[in-house]
Amino acid sequence: SSELTQDPAVSVALGQTVRITCQGDSLRNYYASWYQQKPGQAPVLVIYGKNKRPSGIPDRFSGSSSGNTDSLTITGAQAEDEADYYCNSRETSGHPVIFGGGTKLTVL
Amino acid sequence: EVQLVESGGGLVQPGGSLRLSCAASGFTFSTYSMNWVRQAPGKGLEWVSYISSSGNIRYYADSVMGRFTISRDDARNSLYLHMDSLRAADTAVYYCAREQYSSSWDFDYWGQGTLVTVSS
């Protein structure tokens, strides 16, 4: 089965823009979805279908896709955006769905 | 309001069994596919199992194939995960998660999780 690769950690200055990437062969065929998870809490869906936001998710969160890499961009990062971010997508073989390893975002 | 509430976690010895439950409310449970996702302490998310809205299609991660069984009871608005032959590597918080749309493979609602600890 294939994998989704994420950078383990990323940092951003308060109010600046940060991009978190997710790389994998399955992304040539399917878009990634993105989840935010804060300590001790369940994950929350923030982006799906390339660049769709569920109700209640701020518009500073956006998604994009190019080749085998999907990205989550936070424009004007806030202190409350500090969290772990995970991507997932359908799989092209083996398991029906996979998760990336997660990226820990620190807002400085 | 959509709610998913897991229960049934606890401490179990290696080789033991446990059944997790997920009580759903606030939506028409029978029309949604459901999943179990787990997270080992300090680790990332790992998809565990899927069941279609009809209950006819089930998928499992390789790591639990043959040991875990997913099921649902639409009359009780409940999702279950029966876990046998538990191993230390199964120690994790187990979340139930709703699939947003059929075959979308994104999860729009999650429960708060229930902790399973496999240890002697």
Side-chain angles (χ1 to χ4, degrees), chain A residues 14 48 66:
Chain A
L14 183 67
Y48 67 96
S66 178

Side-chain angles (χ1 to χ4, degrees), chain A residues 33 35 37 42 86 88 90 95, chain B residues 39 47 62 105-107 111:
Chain A
S33 297
Y35 304 84
Q37 186 181 34
Y86 295 90
N88 88 324
R90 290 187 64 175
H95 308 146
Chain B
Q39 186 170 36
W47 170 81
D62 287 348
W105 295 105
D106 52 53
F107 309 134

